[in-house]
Amino acid sequence: MAKSDDYKKRGVESAATRLPVTADQFLQMVEQVKDYAIFIMDPKGYILSWNAGAERIKGYHPSEIIGRHFSIFYTKDDVKSGLPQRELEIARSVGSMSQEGWRLRKDGSRFWAAVTITALHDKDGVLVGFGKLTRDATERRSADEALVKSRNMFERLFESAPDAVVVIDSHGMIRKVNQQTEALFGYIREEMIGKRVEMLMPERYHKRHRQHRKNYFADPRARKMGIGLELYGKSSDGREIPVDIMLNPIDTPEGIWAFAVIRDITAQKQSDAKIAELNEALRRQVDALAATNRELEAFSYSVSHDLRAPLRHIIGFVDLLNSRDISGLDDKSKHYLQVITQAAQRMGNLIDDLLSFSRMGRADLMKIQVDFDKLVRDIVRELTEDARDRSIQWEIAQLPTVVGDAAMLRQVMVNLLANAMKFTRPRERARIEVGWEERLTEVLFFVKDNGVGFDIRYVNKLFSLFQRLHSNEEFEGTGVGLANVQRIILRHGGRVWAEGSLEGGATFWFSLPKEGH
C-alpha cells in the first residue's frame, strides 16, 4: 500500500502542494494564533521551540521538552507502526499534512488532537525543519460522538417503531419510511422514496389531501390528522386500511418536512364494532328486564289490591262472629276463629309489605342532604316508646350527613332497627349499636345487636324476598323488610351485607356513595 493510501485509511486529509514556507514566516504565524500547541522541529523531528499553548495542552515546560523527539507525544502502537516518521515524510513531499488522532500528555493521559505539520524552508528552498500546530479537539469529538449516537438511536427507534412512520417534504414527496411502513402498505421502501404520498391513500382522498397538505405546511404544528373523520390508507394490492395519523413538523436544511405516524386501527375498529354490538344487545336486555320489572310491579300491586277486598271480608265476618255470643262454641271452634284472625292479620301485613316493596321500585329518588344522626335518633325514640318494658342499651355514634332520599333511608333504618329490637327480645339486656366508617369513595353504616343471630351459611337468603331464617312461631315477619333494604340501597348506588352467627348476634352493613362518586 502506498504511503498516501495508508494515511487516507487513518483519516489523513493531505493538503494540496503549497509554496515553501520559511521558518520566519511560520514564527510570524505562531504569534497570531492562540490556544494551539505550536513548536518547531528540525528535519529529523527533534523539538527546537515550544510556545505557551504547547505547555498548557501537553503539560511540558520548555526545559523538559526542547531537544526531545516529537514521537514522545504518540502512543506506543503509533510509534511502533512508524506513524511519526511517515507524517514528516508526507509534509516534506507535499508541503503540509493534517490529521486527527490520539496524542499523549506529560502525565500519560490521552487527548484527541487536530494536527497540522508544515515543512519549513530557507530562502533558497532548502528544508530546515517542520512547524507543528496541535489543537485539543476532545470536547468537539465527544460532541460529535454524542451526535452520532443520538442519530443512531433515532434511526433504531425510527426503524423499530410499532407504527408506520412516513417523512414527507412540503411538496408531498416521500423522503423516508420505516420497516413498519413496508409491512403495512406492502411496498418496499425503494418503491416509495421519491414518490408522492398520495400513493398510500385511496384515490378519493387525493384532491382533498393536496389542499390539506398546503394548509398544514402554512401552519405546521403537531396535531392529529382528520379529526372527526374516518381515514383510510391503501396497500399495494388495493386493500383499504383504516388508519389513525399523527403529524409533527420537523426542521431540515431543505425546509420544513412532516413526520407522519400512521397506526393501523383495523383491530380497534373490529373491537369498536363488537362493543357496539354488545352494547346494543345489553340495551335490549335492559329494556326487556325493565319491562318485565314493570309488569311484575304492576302485577304485585294489582294482586295486593285485589287481595285486600276478600281479606277485609274475612276479618270483618270474624269480628262479627266474635261480637256475637260464642259461648255455645266449643274450645276447638274458638281456636279456629283465633287462627283465622291471626292468619288474616298476617296476610294483611304481607300485603302492606308487598305494596311498600312495589312502591319502592317505582318511586323516583329525591336526593337531598340528610342529617343521618337526627334521622336515626328520631326512629329510636319512636321504637322505644312501644318497648318501655324492655331493657335496651343503645350505643349510637355521632352520624354524618349524607346525600340520599330521606324517606327511603328512613325506611332502611326503621327495618334494621326494628329487626335488631325483635331479635334481641330473648335477651335480658339487649344491646344495639349504630355506627359508621368512612372510605375514600363511600360511607359505611352498620347496625349491630347481641340477639339470636343467624347461621352464616344462609346469609345470602337474608335479603331475598319472602326468605326467612326463623319460623313465624319464633319471630313474626313476612320476609320483605330486608329485601326492601337491599332494593333501596342498590338504588342509591350502594351495597348491603350481613355478618353474624347463631346466638352470637348480627351486624347489618350498608354503604352510600359520597357526593360526586
Side-chain angles (χ1 to χ4, degrees), residues 114-127:
V115 176
T116 299
I117 298 178
T118 303
L120 305 177
H121 301 79
D122 62 15
K123 295 179 180 180
D124 298 324
V126 177
L127 179 71

Side-chain angles (χ1 to χ4, degrees), residues 310-324 326 329 333-345:
L311 188 61
R312 280 195 298 270
H313 283 83
I314 293 171
I315 294 173
F317 280 109
V318 169
D319 288 342
L320 286 173
L321 282 173
N322 285 324
S323 67
R324 297 171 68 91
I326 60 173
L329 295 176
S333 297
K334 292 177 181 177
H335 174 68
Y336 289 159
L337 285 176
Q338 185 180 5
V339 170
I340 292 171
T341 300
Q342 291 174 346
Q345 289 173 344

Side-chain angles (χ1 to χ4, degrees), residues 140-315:
R140 192 258 301 156
R141 174 182 167 82
S142 297
D144 290 347
E145 288 179 342
L147 181 60
V148 170
K149 287 180 180 178
S150 176
R151 287 174 176 169
N152 291 340
M153 183 179 294
F154 173 80
E155 285 296 326
R156 287 196 298 272
L157 291 173
F158 182 84
E159 284 299 327
S160 62
D163 298 318
V165 183
V166 178
V167 179
I168 65 168
D169 62 22
S170 59
H171 302 292
M173 306 299 290
I174 299 173
R175 293 301 193 103
K176 191 177 182 64
V177 298
N178 67 346
Q179 294 176 357
Q180 192 58 31
T181 306
E182 295 177 299
L184 179 60
F185 292 99
Y187 294 102
I188 62 173
R189 65 187 65 200
E190 287 76 16
E191 294 177 299
M192 294 181 277
I193 302 297
K195 304 290 178 56
R196 291 196 173 276
V197 71
E198 283 82 11
M199 72 178 290
L200 303 179
M201 60 185 69
E203 189 172 350
R204 64 181 180 276
Y205 293 129
H206 288 191
K207 184 177 180 180
R208 185 171 62 183
H209 180 265
R210 283 192 287 269
Q211 185 57 49
H212 286 174
R213 189 183 70 242
K214 291 179 182 178
N215 295 341
Y216 179 78
F217 282 104
D219 179 24
R221 53 190 170 84
R223 65 174 178 82
K224 191 174 181 180
M225 181 176 175
I227 297 175
L229 301 175
E230 289 191 343
L231 301 178
Y232 290 88
K234 187 183 73 172
S235 65
S236 59
D237 59 7
R239 178 174 51 89
E240 292 195 2
I241 309 160
V243 294
D244 198 22
I245 302 175
M246 188 69 192
L247 297 174
N248 283 277
I250 53 175
D251 197 1
T252 76
E254 299 181 48
I256 299 295
W257 291 358
F259 193 89
V261 179
I262 305 170
R263 175 166 295 178
D264 182 356
I265 58 171
T266 302
Q268 179 183 325
K269 285 277 187 182
Q270 293 170 345
S271 296
D272 289 347
K274 185 64 176 177
I275 290 170
E277 181 184 339
L278 292 173
N279 284 338
E280 178 59 25
L282 180 61
R283 186 192 62 77
R284 290 195 297 267
Q285 290 178 6
V286 169
D287 289 345
L289 182 60
T292 301
N293 283 337
R294 286 193 296 271
E295 291 173 2
L296 287 173
E297 288 170 3
F299 174 75
S300 65
Y301 190 77
S302 175
V303 168
S304 299
H305 275 76
D306 291 345
L307 286 175
R308 278 186 176 278
L311 188 61
R312 280 195 298 270
H313 283 83
I314 293 171
I315 294 173

